[in-house]
Amino acid sequence: MAGSLTKRGRNVWLVQVFLGRDQAGKQIRHRHTVHGTKEEAQRYLTGFLRDRDLGRYAPPAKMTLDELLDKWLKTVKPDLAPKTYEDYEGNLRRYFRGKLGPVRLDRLNSIQIQEALAEMAAQGLAPRTIQYSRRILGQALKQAVEWGLLQENPVSRTRPVKSRKKPPRRVLDEDETRRFLSAARQDRLGIVLELAVGTGMRPEEYLGLQWADVDLEARTVTVRHVLIWRQQVDPGRPQWTLESPKTKSSIRTIIISPGLVEQLRSWMETQRERQESGAWAASSFVFQTRAGSPIQRRNLANRHLVPVLRAAGIEEEPDAPQHRRLTLYSLRHTHATMLLRAGVNPKVISERLGHTGITMTLDNYTHVMPSMQDLAADQFERTVYHRDGNRYSDGTPGSVCPCCKRPW
């Protein structure tokens, strides 16, 4: 039997193919709904018949998406870094399992997945997050095809969804930054916050920093590891690990200011004195607890960042949305924003932040671009017309500006 196409609505077609009878004599049919044109439905039917004739047809599985994801995660876990595995598991749980998890694989279609991606966009998630999530689910369903549980991967028929443009994040302005750094120097761990503002490093990068990564003579800190804390761990396994950054661009050397060098030198002496006196346990970490272990990000935020902000007179907006709250990551964004406004080359800023490319930097800080346009125009005028203070670019003396006719 060649199969049949039945119209079920506007651009909705039911494809049916008779596959024989079971032991009880009941007909076995393959049924599939195509949302598209009749030509698309015919292409699906033709492809199905070809696969059936070549022996590549796999009967639809009764397995749910949740069951597939459990099996897939178990198989890929040995090949993934622990942090990557946690990212995969958490991503699938947050964005797909709740709505699509109970759906049987033979009833899972591209429209359901497309709707899930659209919901992520409506929540304001970044396009990179949506695309990353789509890719993870696609890998799991691709494995289902290879296992013979699915005829085709429904993710392949979806398209990436652009999310709504996020409003700019809250950062400290110049006056707030000065007050913040002044207040930080009165805090026991204020040096950590000062390094965050002065380098733009991620929290997991500066909290995992070791003295072997710091060269005070060369004025550099090098990111070689990230500190990962785990809420659920196996018995006997440490709660934290030092792991390699996920991207090559995150492994980088950052030049620090002379003032920050002096602050770190003073901190090194303080740490050495406390270790020698027995007040602190020995540790290779730049920032440590009294027991010698690294500092937890949550403790740094709650016990030090919040009090320093309060001491600096920097208040958060009541009931502020997530992007308007001041967090440890706000210090990283403050560093990047201030450098952009100062006219530093975005390529240099991208390298300091450890971005995979300058495009990521510009995309994340588009709200700073208008002020950079003003700066660029001012610098051009100074370069062309005010090169020697009162001379044109060709060296001819002049007493008025050639464009606006105003005195120099």
Side-chain angles (χ1 to χ4, degrees):
M1 181 178 178
S4 64
L5 300 178
T6 305
K7 189 173 184 179
R8 287 298 178 87
R10 184 178 181 182
N11 289 332
V12 179
W13 297 86
L14 175 65
V15 180
Q16 295 189 84
V17 179
F18 177 70
L19 298 175
R21 297 180 182 274
D22 61 16
Q23 293 180 349
K26 185 178 179 180
Q27 290 186 355
I28 302 174
R29 289 182 180 273
H30 170 75
R31 293 180 175 87
H32 180 79
T33 300
V34 175
H35 295 265
T37 64
K38 184 176 182 180
E39 289 74 16
E40 290 175 322
Q42 184 62 56
R43 280 199 299 270
Y44 173 84
L45 174 59
T46 302
F48 177 85
L49 294 173
R50 181 183 63 249
D51 290 340
R52 183 198 62 179
D53 295 341
L54 293 174
R56 295 193 303 221
Y57 167 67
K62 306 299 182 182
M63 182 184 296
T64 65
L65 178 62
D66 267 339
E67 293 171 332
L68 168 70
L69 295 179
D70 290 339
K71 292 181 179 297
W72 179 71
L73 286 170
K74 185 176 180 180
T75 61
V76 299
K77 186 175 183 179
D79 300 324
L80 300 176
K83 181 64 168 61
T84 302
Y85 174 81
E86 290 179 3
D87 287 346
Y88 279 23
E89 190 279 328
N91 193 287
L92 293 169
R93 171 170 36 82
R94 283 190 297 272
Y95 304 129
F96 299 114
R97 282 187 182 266
K99 184 175 181 179
L100 302 180
V103 178
R104 276 178 23 182
L105 292 181
D106 60 326
R107 296 176 181 173
L108 184 66
N109 58 53
S110 301
I111 290 183
Q112 294 168 309
I113 298 173
Q114 192 73 61
E115 289 174 346
L117 297 175
E119 286 184 9
M120 295 172 64
Q123 295 170 12
L125 295 174
R128 286 191 301 117
T129 302
I130 299 174
Q131 181 61 15
Y132 179 64
S133 305
R134 178 175 177 267
R135 181 169 61 83
I136 295 173
L137 181 63
Q139 290 177 355
L141 292 175
K142 178 182 178 182
Q143 184 64 69
V145 174
E146 294 175 355
W147 282 340
L149 302 175
L150 276 176
Q151 185 68 20
E152 65 173 357
N153 186 345
V155 173
S156 63
R157 292 181 177 270
T158 64
R159 57 179 177 79
V161 179
K162 293 183 179 180
S163 71
R164 299 173 183 173
K165 185 177 180 181
K166 279 190 174 183
R169 301 179 181 92
R170 170 83 187 278
V171 297
L172 304 179
D173 60 29
E174 292 184 7
D175 179 62
E176 289 175 329
T177 302
R178 283 190 287 268
R179 285 154 42 201
F180 177 82
L181 293 177
S182 177
R185 292 185 180 180
Q186 308 305 314
D187 185 271
R188 181 173 63 87
L189 289 179
I191 178 61
V192 189
L193 305 177
E194 189 166 353
L195 182 70
V197 175
T199 62
M201 294 168 65
R202 301 175 179 92
E204 60 269 24
E205 292 174 343
Y206 54 73
L207 291 178
L209 201 62
Q210 298 178 294
W211 283 114
D213 305 321
V214 180
D215 188 335
L216 295 180
E217 295 301 323
R219 290 174 43 200
T220 63
V221 293
T222 300
V223 178
R224 295 189 176 93
H225 304 95
V226 292
L227 178 68
I228 304 298
W229 284 87
R230 306 187 186 284
Q231 295 181 350
Q232 297 179 348
V233 295
D234 298 331
R237 183 180 178 185
Q239 288 187 314
W240 58 266
T241 57
L242 282 179
E243 300 178 6
S244 298
K246 292 182 66 174
T247 63
K248 291 182 179 180
S249 55
S250 293
I251 303 174
R252 63 199 188 279
T253 297
I254 305 170
I255 298 178
I256 58 178
S257 67
L260 192 51
V261 169
E262 293 307 312
Q263 291 293 320
L264 284 171
R265 200 183 301 277
S266 176
W267 173 256
M268 177 187 288
E269 292 300 321
T270 299
Q271 188 181 60
R272 181 182 296 118
E273 291 172 2
R274 291 176 179 176
Q275 289 175 347
E276 290 176 352
S277 68
W280 283 5
S283 173
S284 61
F285 287 100
V286 175
F287 309 117
Q288 65 168 88
T289 65
R290 291 181 176 88
S293 61
I295 296 169
Q296 291 194 48
R297 175 176 169 175
R298 179 177 57 186
N299 292 342
L300 178 65
N302 295 337
R303 301 176 186 176
H304 302 277
L305 174 64
V306 173
V308 167
L309 287 170
R310 190 177 298 120
I314 303 171
E315 299 294 337
E316 286 201 301
E317 304 165 5
D319 302 321
Q322 185 65 38
H323 70 275
R324 298 298 298 171
R325 296 176 185 173
L326 289 169
T327 64
L328 291 175
Y329 255 85
S330 300
L331 306 183
R332 171 175 167 85
H333 301 316
T334 295
H335 178 80
T337 301
M338 292 184 68
L339 291 184
L340 281 168
R341 287 175 176 164
V344 176
N345 190 318
K347 174 64 175 174
V348 175
I349 300 173
S350 177
E351 292 173 352
R352 289 179 69 85
L353 296 178
H355 285 165
T356 53
I358 190 173
T359 302
M360 180 185 296
T361 307
L362 296 176
D363 286 346
N364 286 342
Y365 300 99
T366 53
H367 59 284
V368 189
M369 295 302 111
S371 61
M372 291 183 64
Q373 291 277 9
D374 293 339
L375 180 64
D378 292 342
Q379 288 181 338
F380 178 81
E381 183 173 338
R382 284 196 298 270
T383 300
V384 174
Y385 299 119
H386 301 180
R387 175 171 295 178
D388 295 325
N390 65 342
R391 291 180 179 272
Y392 300 133
S393 59
D394 61 359
T396 304
S399 58
V400 296
C401 177
C403 56
C404 63
K405 304 303 180 184
R406 291 181 297 181
W408 292 121

